[in-house]
Amino acid sequence: MTRESGSVRSTESGLPIEPVYGPDTQADWDPAEKLGEPGQYPFTRGVYPSMYTGRPWTMRQYAGFGTATESNARYKQLIANGTMGLSVAFDLPTQMGHDSDAPIASGEVGKVGVAIDSIDDMRVLFGGIPLDQVSTSMTINAPAALLLLLYQLVAEEQGVSADRLTGTIQNDVLKEYIARGTYIFPPKPSLRLIADIFKYCRAEIPKWNTISISGYHMAEAGASPAQEIAFTLADGIEYVRTAVAAGMDVDDFAPRLSFFFVARTTILEEVAKFRAARRIWARVMKEEFGAQNPKSLMLRFHTQTAGVQLTAQQPEVNLVRVAVQGLAAVLGGTQSLHTNSFDEAIALPTDKSARLALRTQQVLAYETDVTATVDPFAGSYVVERMTDDVEAAALDLMRRVEDLGGAVDAIERGFQKSEIERSAYRIAQETDSGERVVVGVNRYQLDEEEPYEPLRVDPAIEAQQAARLARLRAERDQQAVDTALAALKKAAEGEDNVLYPMKDALRARATVGEVCDALRAVWGTYVPSDAF
């Protein structure tokens, strides 16, 4: 939301908003250089010539909780309601590479996503869902390779070859060091693992998007729109440099890179942000990396509406917020979209609230006219000026990252984290003072909130998962598991691609925790620095 101070207003990034925009605000502005045509360099107007006039964006709903059985039932309901793609949420133990029966997992099993400990759970999670007919996004980072391989193994059991699989793994560990914290290994081995994933997928799962470089979690931690795209694109540059240094040609992997951004309620700046991000990335890929394939220059992205802007007070008002945020993503040219459920500030979404969130996208796609023409805001005085302003602010931040030696060096000095924390503090101050209006929180409150019964996860899930693990360890061929884990360690110590022995271990029913422990033994774990 915009800030107001006297007669001067500013964007979320702190950039001034003029009361009126006109031709005089576009001085020295070359439409051919800045815009181009839709589907053409520098892709300001969108990555495809027809955008939504041919078909709408992919409608995803982020879901996963409790056991694999419960999440499987939710996925089937979403598919029946018209979801075009699945988006899997994993619980914290899975995200951190721990088994459900590990002491550190106590109290967190199945809470913020589904618990996946082994191929047994993955098999249940996608039971009855033909994996050659859905596109699946998995929000997983440090252990992304494991979950992708488990998905591939389940597909093979269904008779689906890997070259028919489509989807995305988030696999963006650098933003974990900056804003989220579900990292496992230090940056250098983490980047080596990502390069191995790029190589593996090029050879084995060619249609898979190998990384979703994410600004969403930075935004949820308090990053402004300019910070969100600056630090995300800086991470993207680091990943490309890593892959090139590992011997890959940029055009061999860059077309499978994707991005993940937030959509806030501030429609104009959000549209400008998406346009600026496309333009910056296209120029970086062309000018710094010499990419020749037009697909290498395209910034394709998924969007999720802003969970941080949802309120526990008067939760039904979140339906309005999500609709506005979803509209911002569509007007900004997203390739896929997840709309949050109105009750997510309270608990996991209920079946009804998840369905309403999906219906929000369907109304935007089929009851409005925003899909009738490509890039409706092109040439808008305000949006084009805002695009330039956000681009300039983001490029300045990216230069500061480069001056520190690049994304990893800046992370190790705490630069991005410090900048985001300053932005988050500013937002908190503005909300506390009432300068930033949050309906139902600091203005237009109710004397008494209406009762609401949220979805609760059964705490017995933890014991159930522990029992499943005990059964698995009793039934499996332990010698085969030990041999496979030893081969994985050997690959991690050398230069061989770790995904091949990792797949063998997972096929032998090694657990997620055991595989991650094998890598921890070689690579160690990351200890954050607040040095900046």
Side-chain angles (χ1 to χ4, degrees):
M1 56 209 74
T2 58
R3 307 279 58 75
E4 184 169 349
S5 178
S7 60
V8 179
R9 299 183 70 171
S10 61
T11 68
E12 291 279 282
S13 297
L15 305 171
I17 301 179
E18 303 295 337
V20 178
Y21 288 82
D24 58 316
T25 64
Q26 307 299 116
D28 301 321
W29 197 79
D30 183 352
E33 177 191 356
K34 295 282 189 178
L35 289 181
E37 295 297 323
Q40 295 182 16
Y41 182 86
F43 302 103
T44 308
R45 301 195 61 192
V47 293
Y48 302 122
S50 61
M51 288 304 289
Y52 311 134
T53 59
R55 65 179 180 88
W57 58 94
T58 299
M59 299 180 193
R60 297 191 184 277
Q61 287 305 109
Y62 185 47
F65 65 95
T67 64
T69 300
E70 292 171 294
S71 293
N72 175 266
R74 174 66 63 87
Y75 296 155
K76 289 176 177 175
Q77 289 171 349
L78 288 170
I79 291 170
N81 285 326
T83 294
M84 300 172 179
L86 300 176
S87 188
V88 183
F90 297 98
D91 70 356
L92 279 176
T94 304
Q95 293 180 49
M96 298 294 289
H98 296 295
D99 291 333
S100 294
D101 59 356
I104 197 172
S106 179
E108 293 293 343
V109 177
K111 290 291 179 67
V112 299
V114 61
I116 298 295
D117 290 315
S118 71
I119 190 172
D120 292 19
D121 292 327
M122 203 70 161
R123 193 178 291 123
V124 172
L125 185 65
F126 290 103
I129 299 173
L131 297 187
D132 57 343
Q133 297 178 31
V134 297
S135 170
T136 302
S137 173
M138 292 187 280
T139 303
I140 193 73
N141 294 283
L146 284 76
L147 276 302
L148 173 61
L149 293 171
L150 288 172
Y151 189 84
Q152 182 187 1
L153 287 167
V154 170
E156 289 174 357
E157 291 178 355
Q158 291 185 1
V160 176
S161 61
D163 61 0
R164 293 162 63 192
L165 297 177
T166 60
T168 303
I169 43 172
Q170 191 163 104
N171 193 29
D172 175 12
V173 74
L174 291 182
K175 68 93 173 48
E176 298 295 325
Y177 305 122
I178 294 171
R180 193 162 174 268
T182 61
Y183 43 71
I184 300 176
F185 316 112
K188 287 184 179 179
S190 292
L191 289 173
R192 178 260 176 96
L193 180 56
I194 288 169
D196 281 358
I197 292 170
F198 287 178
K199 292 176 182 177
Y200 180 87
C201 286
R202 181 171 178 264
E204 307 291 342
I205 319 178
K207 295 180 181 178
W208 198 267
N209 295 319
T210 51
I211 194 167
S212 178
I213 308 161
S214 175
Y216 181 88
H217 304 93
M218 300 185 208
E220 294 284 281
S224 71
Q227 290 174 334
E228 177 192 354
I229 63 170
F231 297 149
T232 303
L233 298 185
D235 287 352
I237 290 169
E238 192 79 37
Y239 292 131
V240 175
R241 287 174 179 165
T242 298
V244 170
M248 299 186 72
D249 183 273
V250 66
D251 288 317
D252 285 343
F253 66 89
R256 304 315 308 174
L257 303 178
S258 65
F259 291 79
F260 175 25
F261 295 116
V262 78
R264 302 170 179 80
T265 54
T266 42
I267 290 179
L268 299 180
E269 188 179 18
E270 290 301 284
V271 172
K273 177 192 76 178
F274 295 132
R275 294 161 68 82
R278 278 194 295 268
R279 197 152 74 199
I280 294 170
W281 186 249
R283 288 176 178 156
V284 165
M285 294 302 290
K286 181 178 182 179
E287 295 171 10
E288 178 174 343
F289 296 106
Q292 300 296 312
N293 186 341
K295 292 183 178 180
S296 298
L297 312 179
M298 294 179 183
L299 184 145
R300 299 170 302 114
F301 65 97
H302 170 71
T303 309
Q304 180 172 337
T305 55
V308 74
Q309 290 188 325
L310 302 184
T311 65
Q313 299 90 336
Q314 301 179 47
E316 292 85 355
V317 178
N318 292 328
L319 287 164
V320 181
R321 294 187 177 102
V322 169
V324 170
Q325 293 162 0
L327 179 60
V330 171
L331 291 172
T334 192
Q335 276 58 71
S336 66
L337 177 62
H338 163 80
T339 34
N340 289 325
S341 301
F342 75 88
D343 51 358
E344 287 191 54
I346 301 170
L348 291 167
T350 63
D351 289 345
K352 181 178 181 180
S353 64
R355 184 171 61 251
L356 283 170
L358 176 60
R359 295 289 182 256
T360 301
Q361 294 199 52
Q362 292 165 338
V363 168
L364 289 174
Y366 302 114
E367 293 191 23
T368 76
D369 55 4
V370 295
T371 60
T373 187
V374 177
D375 191 21
F377 274 171
S380 159
Y381 293 128
V382 60
V383 168
E384 300 298 1
R385 175 59 182 274
M386 279 189 173
T387 301
D388 289 351
D389 290 347
V390 172
E391 179 183 22
L395 286 171
D396 181 65
L397 284 165
M398 291 172 71
R399 279 190 288 269
R400 293 174 67 187
V401 170
E402 283 295 296
D403 289 345
L404 292 169
V408 170
D409 287 344
I411 286 167
E412 291 180 340
R413 296 187 61 182
F415 172 68
Q416 299 97 319
K417 185 172 181 287
S418 176
E419 289 293 303
I420 291 170
E421 285 172 351
R422 273 195 280 271
S423 176
Y425 182 63
R426 172 177 58 84
I427 292 169
Q429 284 184 310
E430 290 170 354
T431 303
D432 290 345
S433 70
E435 181 184 357
R436 172 183 293 264
V437 176
V438 182
V439 173
V441 175
N442 60 10
R443 196 180 294 186
Y444 312 116
Q445 301 99 320
L446 294 176
D447 292 333
E448 185 176 344
E449 290 288 334
E450 298 176 5
Y452 178 77
E453 185 59 37
L455 177 67
R456 301 292 186 193
V457 174
D458 187 348
I461 285 171
E462 192 166 322
Q464 293 170 14
Q465 283 297 112
R468 284 174 61 81
L469 280 165
R471 244 184 346 264
L472 174 145
R473 293 186 181 113
E475 295 170 354
R476 71 188 183 183
D477 182 343
Q478 189 60 44
Q479 184 176 351
V481 172
D482 292 342
T483 300
L485 290 175
L488 174 61
K489 285 183 180 180
K490 184 177 179 181
E493 290 166 350
E495 297 181 357
D496 290 345
N497 193 313
V498 297
L499 268 76
Y500 290 96
M502 186 184 293
K503 185 182 180 186
D504 291 340
L506 293 168
R507 183 189 287 113
R509 300 175 80 189
T511 67
V512 168
E514 290 166 343
V515 171
C516 288
D517 284 345
L519 295 177
R520 284 185 184 97
V522 178
W523 291 342
T525 56
Y526 177 67
V527 178
S529 168
D530 292 316
F532 198 83

